[in-house]
Amino acid sequence: MARPRPGGLPLGAVQFPSGVTIVTTRGADGTLHGFTASSFASLSLDPPLVLVCLDRGATCFPVFLAAERFVVNVVTPSHAELATRFATKGENKFAYGTFEFDEQGHPLLPDAAAVLRCELEQAVPGGDHVILIGRVREARTGEGKPVTWYRGDFRHLGERAA
């Protein structure tokens, strides 16, 4: 993809559908933290690595950099409102979802389209974001279909965008 030229279409306005994830962890003090990310991808099959991008301005930024583990929850249409809350600063994000906890106390969505439990492998600077590279330690799929974000709204797979 060509880089936008000065005065051209800003990168944020590019019409490209992406998946939606809610990324969670537990801080060293036991506090739950999370954020919504649409910048998520598989990075490697061997070893199994994924990447997710976190805004440096996010309140939870220092917690995720210090975290040894995090969970990537692939959102279904039923999680759209929850994903919006996790994208908002200042919200008590965990007051609204039905979360379960793994052995280390990290929150996960039991009805997510997929849940990936990861160990932080590396954090790589990427402009105003950091790229969290996680080694997948456990992955499971759910019954629901993932939702996408396109043209400023959540879309179901197979749905036509006007």
Side-chain angles (χ1 to χ4, degrees):
M1 180 169 132
R3 295 185 52 83
R5 58 183 163 71
L9 185 66
L11 188 57
V14 173
Q15 295 181 5
F16 181 74
S18 62
V20 182
T21 63
I22 294 176
V23 185
T24 60
T25 195
R26 180 178 292 274
D29 64 355
T31 306
L32 303 178
H33 297 273
F35 65 96
T36 297
S38 58
S39 296
F40 165 76
S42 172
L43 179 60
S44 169
L45 292 175
D46 188 18
L49 300 174
V50 296
L51 67 83
V52 63
C53 299
L54 172 60
D55 187 332
R56 289 178 179 272
T59 307
C60 62
F61 176 78
V63 175
F64 275 89
L65 281 186
E68 293 180 10
R69 294 178 180 82
F70 61 89
V71 178
V72 178
N73 300 278
V74 178
V75 173
T76 67
S78 67
H79 299 118
E81 185 177 331
L82 186 62
T84 300
R85 289 187 188 280
F86 271 76
T88 305
K89 286 186 178 184
E91 280 283 329
N92 179 2
K93 301 170 182 179
F94 292 91
Y96 301 98
T98 305
F99 289 88
E100 292 180 354
F101 299 90
D102 66 12
E103 304 82 43
Q104 289 85 30
H106 294 88
L108 53 92
L109 286 168
D111 55 345
V115 175
L116 303 151
R117 294 178 48 218
C118 303
E119 288 181 3
L120 182 61
E121 184 88 5
Q122 189 175 6
V124 179
D128 60 359
H129 282 63
V130 66
I131 303 161
L132 302 175
I133 298 174
R135 182 181 291 255
V136 178
R137 292 300 181 188
E138 182 183 327
R140 65 180 169 105
T141 57
E143 297 297 319
K145 291 184 180 181
V147 71
T148 60
W149 181 256
Y150 181 63
R151 292 186 174 176
D153 202 1
F154 294 98
R155 307 279 181 194
H156 303 237
L157 291 178
E159 177 185 6
R160 293 185 72 106

